[in-house]
Amino acid sequence: MPAPKQSKRVFLSERPKGHISDKTFKSETAALPTPNADQVVVRVDYVSLDPAMRGWLNDTRSYVPPVQIGETMRAGAIGTVVQGNNLLKEGDIVQGTLGWAEYVVVPAKDLRKLSPPEGSTAVDYLGPLGMTGMTGLLDVGKVKAGDTLVVSGAAGATGSLVCQIGKLKGAKVIALASASKCDYLVNELGVDAALDYKSPTFAKDFRETVGYLDVFFDNVGGEILDLALTRLKKNARIVLCGAISAYNSAGQPEGIKNYLTLISQRAKIEGFIVFDYKDRYAEGEAEMAKWIKEGKLKRRYQIEQGLEQCPQHLGLLFSGGNTGKLLVKISKDAAKY
Amino acid sequence: MPAPKQSKRVFLSERPKGHISDKTFKSETAALPTPNADQVVVRVDYVSLDPAMRGWLNDTRSYVPPVQIGETMRAGAIGTVVQGNNLLKEGDIVQGTLGWAEYVVVPAKDLRKLSPPEGSTAVDYLGPLGMTGMTGLLDVGKVKAGDTLVVSGAAGATGSLVCQIGKLKGAKVIALASASKCDYLVNELGVDAALDYKSPTFAKDFRETVGYLDVFFDNVGGEILDLALTRLKKNARIVLCGAISAYNSAGQPEGIKNYLTLISQRAKIEGFIVFDYKDRYAEGEAEMAKWIKEGKLKRRYQIEQGLEQCPQHLGLLFSGGNTGKLLVKISKDAAKY
């Protein structure tokens, strides 16, 4: 695996207003810099596509700096070292923020060398063993046995794990997703019920099936959040993991109106960012690895192809076009999973 | 003080849609029931008017049952026992949920006999020594020295106490109120700044004066809450004590749109109901009484007159017509405060 002289990359060309367009990203092939002693050259094998990436394109105050115009699009990824140093050797499988590129030159200290435990593979570090798996359900949502847990975006990467963790912890789990994914949620992931959020009778179905809820794990925001606010039990917790319905709105998203129930039910809405739990990644990862080994946690990956198609693949997250964790295979030489 | 044979009362006649109207309440004079051995007859001296009372008129699921049609309007009050029993004697000053009436017959066990500590008076039990004073600022808002605390409805009964407790705890306090109340807040209560929320430059003033906030103690909801959401520091806490802007809306209140900052700033909105802190009333009351005795806590009462005018006086809370705690003196024989 010799290090190449040049590499293709996809970079931010223009900040989108609303949805990503053809003009948002551009690609180019450029010379790869020569690594210094602290750096290694990594071939990017798989990149993770996450709803949060849409937020990184906005020039606003947030939990990470926005991606700059001209900068290679930031993305979590796994790759293979093709030119090592004293810390990493050629052939090591690593995880890091590699970005949308064929090859990258990065400090070895920013990479983690992977040795997947029994039952797991390297891509699981982009799924349950990585940030996707550190859902905040237990720390923020404080889900316990007997709770009624409602999960929106339930068939997505994080949602599908939240549903399973909820069941493993003894909660009654009601999953919200589009109609085509409800079977998967009930029959493969074992949730108690799955509701089609696009159904004309959704609000009624929600009231009848859920009754009142203890925890709402929300990936969607907007109207679904507003409906959930009307069905809170006393001391209910809403974990705001994402608000995918709002990420692409050119103006302001639809407002939530039913927040007065937060007072009458002494309830809360709490946002969380996985980075705040860095100290506990190892603990979360160990628990997930154990569940995987025991066959208690199912993973599903939707693996798309092609570096230059990354922008279009990212759009799948906002059109309901993915089930499970969405990845893009970048290198044709990457191991199959 | 002989117990009268009859008493006037004001009762709910029709549930209001939106603002209270002339048809919402009616009054009548009716025979007073004969007390049994567990009951006493109490002359109502002062009733407390609180924004939450508007919510009690709606037939919706909430933290207390709605007031029923025909029922005497529920209200916290202080009064004087005019016919005692083995627990309370004639002349005792008591606090309880007496309602909008001249006289009431109530179980003695539902009343608290008052013995105000040095520096305090009986009406302070409708103010800082009562539920109004148990603001949730410390338990829910977790205000600490150096925090930037923003208070809406700052000149109201709860707001004016929150401002002072914030200062006593070492926070920088920015008060939001109508223009005529800003002087009182700065010069008498000692807040660091007071902003007129009706000013055309309010949003700009807010951004410049507040910068970013640690705690927002909100009595108002609506647009002000939405603005505050754009100015959260990391791990900010929004204490939703009330949403006075929304209580009278006939349909749904204006939605809040900027809730995505809850995620990026890992912040929360938490509602609270003072009843949940019953176990700690004594602790809160003792701290407030100590501050009053030391001259560190100012109280301001706006005392209106007349049982039958209670509905109109209640409207003052929603039109910005009160500064400090709003009471109505019911009995002409009540002690002056």
Side-chain angles (χ1 to χ4, degrees):
Chain A
M1 284 188 280
K5 298 289 178 216
Q6 54 181 29
S7 166
K8 192 177 283 180
R9 69 183 190 110
V10 175
F11 60 94
L12 181 61
S13 169
E14 184 182 293
R15 297 201 185 281
K17 291 188 177 61
H19 281 278
I20 289 167
S21 78
D22 291 351
K23 295 181 177 168
T24 308
F25 296 100
K26 285 189 177 160
S27 69
E28 66 168 13
T29 297
L32 207 61
T34 305
N36 64 32
D38 296 329
Q39 294 173 319
V40 294
V41 183
V42 179
R43 183 189 75 206
V44 181
D45 290 336
Y46 291 89
V47 299
S48 172
L49 295 186
D50 302 281
M53 295 167 84
R54 176 64 189 81
W56 303 344
L57 306 180
N58 297 336
D59 193 14
T60 52
R61 185 176 78 107
S62 191
Y63 62 101
V64 287
V67 175
Q68 297 303 315
I69 302 290
E71 186 182 345
T72 299
M73 181 59 190
R74 184 189 298 151
I78 57 171
T80 303
V81 176
V82 294
Q83 183 177 327
N85 67 358
N86 60 333
L87 287 175
L88 291 170
K89 66 174 195 300
E90 203 181 302
D92 282 348
I93 307 290
V94 294
Q95 178 190 18
T97 304
L98 306 179
W100 287 358
E102 291 176 317
Y103 292 88
V104 290
V105 175
V106 282
K109 69 171 176 48
D110 293 348
L111 300 172
R112 175 179 176 189
K113 183 180 167 179
L114 300 178
S115 335
E118 187 188 334
S120 296
T121 69
V123 297
D124 287 327
Y125 288 89
L126 300 177
L129 301 183
M131 286 188 282
T132 300
M134 310 301 134
T135 64
L137 179 65
L138 306 179
D139 275 317
V140 185
K142 300 193 190 307
V143 163
K144 56 186 188 311
D147 275 355
T148 295
L149 165 66
V150 177
V151 183
S152 68
T158 297
S160 59
L161 294 171
V162 168
C163 287
Q164 295 181 82
I165 298 169
K167 287 306 297 174
L168 285 165
K169 292 292 179 183
K172 178 182 173 186
V173 178
I174 292 123
L176 314 180
S178 56
S180 64
K181 299 169 185 173
C182 287
D183 262 6
Y184 164 68
L185 287 160
V186 172
N187 297 322
E188 293 198 45
L189 301 191
V191 301
D192 296 275
L195 303 178
D196 169 18
Y197 76 96
K198 290 179 181 167
S199 162
T201 60
F202 174 64
K204 182 169 163 283
D205 299 343
F206 190 102
R207 287 190 293 268
E208 289 177 2
T209 307
V210 172
Y212 291 97
L213 62 88
D214 298 286
V215 181
F216 178 45
F217 191 97
D218 191 17
N219 290 297
V220 173
E223 283 178 33
I224 295 181
L225 173 56
D226 222 2
L227 175 61
L229 279 166
T230 68
R231 307 302 290 180
L232 303 180
K233 285 191 201 171
K234 189 175 161 186
N235 298 132
R237 290 82 70 196
I238 297 178
V239 183
L240 211 57
C241 175
I244 205 166
S245 71
Y247 291 169
N248 290 288
S249 61
Q252 282 185 307
E254 184 68 16
I256 59 170
K257 301 183 173 73
N258 299 313
Y259 59 90
L260 291 186
T261 57
L262 294 172
I263 305 178
S264 61
Q265 301 306 319
R266 311 78 150 147
K268 65 178 171 180
I269 304 183
E270 187 163 359
F272 98 105
I273 293 290
V274 69
F275 301 155
D276 295 339
Y277 294 85
K278 268 187 181 145
D279 292 351
R280 301 188 54 198
Y281 283 178
E283 186 188 328
E285 185 180 317
E287 187 156 29
M288 299 298 265
K290 179 171 164 287
W291 281 330
I292 290 172
K293 189 178 161 191
E294 294 169 353
K296 290 180 177 167
L297 199 74
K298 297 191 177 168
R299 301 93 82 204
R300 179 153 163 175
Y301 295 100
Q302 178 169 328
I303 300 181
E304 302 291 339
Q305 307 288 328
L307 172 63
E308 286 179 280
Q309 286 70 47
C310 279
Q312 291 91 297
H313 298 324
L314 186 61
L316 293 172
L317 294 167
F318 304 104
S319 62
N322 69 303
T323 300
K325 177 69 191 177
L326 184 61
L327 303 176
V328 182
K329 185 175 175 183
I330 303 292
S331 169
K332 63 181 184 340
D333 299 324
K336 282 207 169 61
Y337 294 103
Chain B
M1 282 188 281
K5 297 290 178 213
Q6 53 181 29
S7 166
K8 193 176 284 180
R9 70 183 190 109
V10 176
F11 60 94
L12 180 61
S13 170
E14 185 182 295
R15 297 199 183 282
K17 291 186 176 63
H19 281 279
I20 289 167
S21 78
D22 291 350
K23 296 180 178 168
T24 308
F25 295 101
K26 286 190 178 157
S27 69
E28 66 170 12
T29 298
L32 208 60
T34 306
N36 63 32
D38 295 331
Q39 293 174 320
V40 294
V41 183
V42 179
R43 183 190 74 204
V44 181
D45 291 336
Y46 291 89
V47 298
S48 171
L49 296 186
D50 303 281
M53 296 167 83
R54 176 63 189 82
W56 302 345
L57 306 180
N58 297 335
D59 192 15
T60 51
R61 187 176 76 107
S62 191
Y63 62 101
V64 287
V67 175
Q68 297 302 315
I69 302 290
E71 186 182 344
T72 300
M73 181 58 189
R74 184 189 297 149
I78 58 171
T80 304
V81 175
V82 293
Q83 184 177 324
N85 68 357
N86 60 334
L87 286 175
L88 290 169
K89 66 174 197 298
E90 203 182 302
D92 282 350
I93 308 291
V94 294
Q95 178 191 22
T97 306
L98 306 179
W100 288 358
E102 290 176 318
Y103 292 88
V104 290
V105 175
V106 283
K109 68 170 178 48
D110 293 349
L111 300 172
R112 175 179 177 188
K113 183 181 168 178
L114 300 179
S115 335
E118 187 187 335
S120 296
T121 70
V123 296
D124 286 329
Y125 287 89
L126 299 178
L129 301 183
M131 286 189 282
T132 300
M134 310 301 134
T135 62
L137 178 65
L138 306 179
D139 274 318
V140 185
K142 299 191 189 309
V143 162
K144 55 186 191 309
D147 275 354
T148 295
L149 164 66
V150 177
V151 184
S152 68
T158 297
S160 59
L161 294 171
V162 168
C163 287
Q164 295 181 81
I165 298 170
K167 288 306 298 176
L168 286 165
K169 293 292 179 183
K172 177 182 174 187
V173 178
I174 292 121
L176 314 181
S178 57
S180 64
K181 300 169 185 173
C182 287
D183 262 6
Y184 164 68
L185 288 160
V186 172
N187 297 323
E188 293 198 45
L189 300 191
V191 301
D192 296 276
L195 303 178
D196 169 17
Y197 76 97
K198 290 179 180 167
S199 161
T201 60
F202 174 64
K204 182 170 164 282
D205 299 342
F206 189 103
R207 287 190 292 269
E208 289 177 3
T209 307
V210 173
Y212 291 96
L213 63 88
D214 298 285
V215 180
F216 179 45
F217 191 96
D218 191 17
N219 289 297
V220 174
E223 284 179 32
I224 295 180
L225 172 57
D226 222 2
L227 175 61
L229 279 166
T230 67
R231 307 302 290 180
L232 303 180
K233 285 192 199 171
K234 189 175 162 187
N235 298 130
R237 291 82 69 197
I238 297 178
V239 183
L240 212 56
C241 176
I244 205 165
S245 71
Y247 289 169
N248 289 290
S249 60
Q252 284 185 306
E254 184 69 14
I256 58 170
K257 300 184 174 73
N258 299 314
Y259 60 90
L260 290 186
T261 56
L262 294 173
I263 306 178
S264 61
Q265 302 306 319
R266 310 80 148 147
K268 66 179 170 182
I269 304 183
E270 188 162 0
F272 98 106
I273 294 288
V274 68
F275 302 153
D276 296 340
Y277 294 85
K278 270 189 181 144
D279 292 352
R280 301 188 55 197
Y281 283 177
E283 185 188 329
E285 187 181 313
E287 186 156 28
M288 299 298 267
K290 179 172 164 284
W291 282 330
I292 291 172
K293 189 179 162 189
E294 294 171 353
K296 291 180 178 166
L297 200 72
K298 297 191 178 167
R299 300 94 82 206
R300 178 152 166 177
Y301 295 99
Q302 179 169 328
I303 300 183
E304 303 292 340
Q305 307 288 329
L307 172 62
E308 286 179 279
Q309 286 69 48
C310 279
Q312 292 91 295
H313 298 323
L314 186 60
L316 293 173
L317 294 167
F318 303 104
S319 61
N322 70 301
T323 301
K325 176 70 191 175
L326 185 62
L327 303 177
V328 181
K329 185 177 177 183
I330 303 294
S331 170
K332 62 182 187 334
D333 299 322
K336 283 208 168 61
Y337 294 104

